[in-house]
Amino acid sequence: MNSEHTNYSLSGSQEEPVAALEEAPNPLPRAVLRLNNHFLLDGEWKFALDADDTGLRDCWFLGHDYEHSAHWPGSIEAHMAQAKGDAPAVMWQDTVVAWYEREFTLPTIAEPLTRSMFQLTFGACGYETRVWLNGRLLRTIEGEDVHFGEYTSFSYELREENLHPVNRLTVRVADTMDAETTRGKQESHIYKRGGIWYQTYSGAVRSVWLEMVERNRLRSRLGVDSVVEDQLVRFNVTTRVHDPGHYTLRLRVFERGAAKATPHLFTSDFPLRLEAGQKQQRVVLEMPGARLWSPEAPNLYQLVAELIDTDGYAAQIETHFGLRKIESRGRHVYLNNEPTYLDGILYQPGTATYEEMRRHMHAMQKLGCNLVRVHIAGIDPRIYNLADELGLLLWVEVPSPHTSSPRSRQNHREELLRMLMLIESHPSVVIWSLYNEDWGCQDIATNPETRQYIIDTYHFMLIEHPQFLVVDNDGWQHISQEGRLKSDLLTAHLYTPDMPHWQNLLDRLVRGEMDGTAAFPLIVGDAFFYRRQKPLIVSEWGGFGFANYGGPEAGEERTEQIRQFKQELRARPIAGDVYTQATNIEDERNGIIDQHTGELAVPPGLLNSR
């Protein structure tokens, strides 16, 4: 396959203005940009199912006769259906193993590979992925022979001596119904498809691409934490170095969309002595007079970060960021030191395409929401960028395992760390849920080890990622230790279509009745006495149209019921709410936005109570 990009100059040598980059659509599912060319490996791949899981034993990576073809990105389920000639996606019951293979011609480069190398990146693939180049097993930059997880990207550096003019790339993808893996709402051995549980969506789910990167560079992993009172921004950068020595980290901040010749607003240099390998480094930049980011004024700045060697060569990345502060204080959530009511909506993207997700985000803002709760799923990183631009607050969640065990907790922590590494730079991301409704921590009320893991993770987030609010277990059964809630928000999931019952539930909730409001007690562990010391959030309600929740399915009756139920929320000392939900997904027919077109089924502004 021929690449559309024939100029493979190093990333530091292209001089495109920032504005041009912002106006052009970003074809790659990542938030940080490099000013180099890339070669998308999307398209037709050879495809074969490995029903008996013999491919490793029989060395398919050295050569195999593939029966079918498949389009990457896509899911194993869709590729299975295509191979069998079926229209709908195919379900599998226990284990699925698939192999993909394609050839690519190595792009011609203008200069020798002295400062640079080729890097191969998968936007997401999983749950278990192995990759071979010309029959050689590759190891990720993190040193993994097998990459686990299906929601975040991972990369391989390609050694020059292993590259040929024409190269063969082989990928083995495996998934199971293992309830100890981080599955979100995909079915497992424990939760079967139907109702609120969905079909699996496995495999080659995001783009894969080849690009040129420097041997000594900044990785596209950036954390941003602002101190708005002191007008400071703390940047966590990740360096990747093959040649030990002295380097300078240079940060420059521009007005977003500024032309090439526009002078920077702020800059600072940081001398570093770096050994070979990968290292994280925090640095602080003063930004006096900087405008804050909020839903009402989503002010963003452009960051250009360079790692400069002793010869003056600069390896560059760039991204946008914003200054904001989120805080749980008393009964309010404060954004930039101002109390802010959270008008939220539950969003389950499912198998939506990137373009469909874009339409959904615009539609949720049109409904009047200032918060979107992305429900236990990892999404295309460009959607986080879009939320930054629109001024939509995001509540994100770790895709949950379906059972509680030491292994499921380890998988949960690793998934959390992978997600944090890739999305901690976005001002839109303000809240994280560790668990939801006990999924993956079903023994939270009885097992001290489960509670201790959640407590330790909560404390880790407070120390390492203070730019977020953290919820321990959303919906009910929050952990109290010595009377201290191990959650920044006290949340409850309340479902009823009956107005008197709804009013009674809300009254009992604000009175501090921890039992009998939600499906399970709101507190586990030690006694907790609510005196409005934590913000109350009704983080799921409504669901009108879904048979299990009741209420009207559509039309003016549903609109009026949503409006009346919302008014009852605002009449009480509650800090925010999350209506369920944005779009239909499989059996859950309770959406108020068309899942394909993004058209509203209710009037604009219906959820805006601010």
Side-chain angles (χ1 to χ4, degrees), residues 190-491:
I190 290 179
Y191 299 124
K192 306 309 293 182
R193 184 186 180 191
I196 64 169
W197 303 102
Y198 312 137
Q199 180 183 326
T200 55
Y201 185 69
S202 311
V205 293
R206 287 191 205 141
S207 292
V208 56
W209 64 92
L210 184 71
E211 64 185 320
M212 187 74 87
V213 297
E214 290 84 0
R215 287 171 51 83
N216 308 303
R217 64 191 184 278
L218 298 170
R219 294 203 67 189
S220 55
R221 301 176 171 201
L222 182 72
V224 179
D225 173 23
S226 52
V227 183
V228 301
E229 293 86 356
D230 295 330
Q231 299 177 316
L232 295 175
V233 183
R234 295 179 287 212
F235 296 97
N236 294 325
V237 299
T238 302
T239 58
R240 173 67 174 172
V241 167
H242 288 264
D243 305 309
H246 294 279
Y247 292 84
T248 298
L249 171 65
R250 176 170 297 160
L251 301 184
R252 290 179 292 153
V253 175
F254 298 84
E255 289 284 358
R256 190 156 186 257
K260 178 175 64 174
T262 304
H264 59 254
L265 299 174
F266 313 100
T267 188
S268 193
D269 285 3
F270 306 90
L272 297 172
R273 166 71 193 182
L274 297 174
E275 302 300 327
Q278 186 162 294
K279 186 180 189 303
Q280 285 190 291
Q281 177 70 48
R282 171 175 283 188
V283 294
V284 179
L285 186 64
E286 291 184 275
M287 292 181 57
R291 301 181 305 276
L292 302 184
W293 182 97
S294 70
E296 295 74 26
N299 298 306
L300 294 170
Y301 292 92
Q302 197 75 12
L303 173 71
V304 175
E306 297 171 306
L307 188 66
I308 306 170
D309 64 20
T310 53
D311 295 330
Y313 180 83
Q316 177 179 311
I317 61 173
E318 66 175 62
T319 190
H320 68 246
F321 69 97
L323 284 73
R324 65 108 181 102
K325 176 185 180 183
I326 193 79
E327 191 178 12
S328 163
R329 185 170 9 121
R331 72 178 186 88
H332 294 290
V333 172
Y334 287 81
L335 180 65
N336 301 332
N337 295 319
E338 295 291 335
T340 300
Y341 189 86
L342 302 178
D343 283 316
I345 190 167
L346 189 77
Y347 179 47
Q348 304 190 81
T351 59
T353 66
Y354 168 63
E355 286 303 323
E356 287 172 336
M357 284 190 281
R358 281 183 59 88
R359 296 185 201 116
H360 299 161
M361 295 293 284
H362 283 281
M364 289 184 280
Q365 188 174 54
K366 192 175 179 180
L367 280 168
C369 298
N370 64 354
L371 172 80
V372 174
R373 182 176 161 219
V374 183
H375 195 31
I376 55 175
I379 56 174
D380 190 306
R382 291 171 291 186
I383 296 300
Y384 302 113
N385 280 354
L386 179 61
D388 294 341
E389 295 166 1
L390 294 178
L392 277 171
L393 303 170
L394 295 182
W395 180 337
V396 299
E397 304 174 324
V398 185
S400 59
H402 289 180
T403 191
S404 183
S405 69
R407 179 170 170 262
S408 79
R409 291 190 283 276
Q410 180 65 28
N411 287 336
H412 179 274
R413 180 173 176 80
E414 290 173 358
E415 193 72 71
L416 169 65
L417 295 177
R418 286 191 291 263
M419 293 179 71
L420 281 167
M421 186 66 71
L422 293 174
I423 65 174
E424 63 172 328
S425 64
H426 297 281
S428 58
V429 178
V430 292
I431 304 172
W432 282 77
S433 283
L434 302 180
Y435 287 93
N436 175 77
E437 294 186 352
D438 312 344
W439 301 338
C441 60
Q442 292 90 335
D443 55 356
I444 189 171
T446 59
N447 188 345
E449 292 182 1
T450 297
R451 290 199 298 276
Q452 191 60 52
Y453 165 71
I454 297 173
I455 291 170
D456 292 344
T457 306
Y458 172 72
H459 289 161
F460 162 79
M461 293 290 286
L462 292 186
I463 295 169
E464 296 295 328
H465 302 280
Q467 67 269 41
F468 306 124
L469 301 182
V470 180
V471 178
D472 56 348
N473 175 47
D474 185 51
W476 47 67
Q477 301 211 120
H478 299 280
I479 299 172
S480 171
Q481 187 181 51
E482 299 177 349
R484 298 180 181 181
L485 196 66
K486 298 305 174 179
S487 177
D488 292 324
L489 305 172
L490 179 55
T491 68

Side-chain angles (χ1 to χ4, degrees), residues 14-31:
Q14 275 191 278
E15 296 287 343
E16 290 191 66
V18 172
L21 286 170
E22 289 300 324
E23 291 167 5
N26 178 14
L28 302 180
R30 65 179 178 189

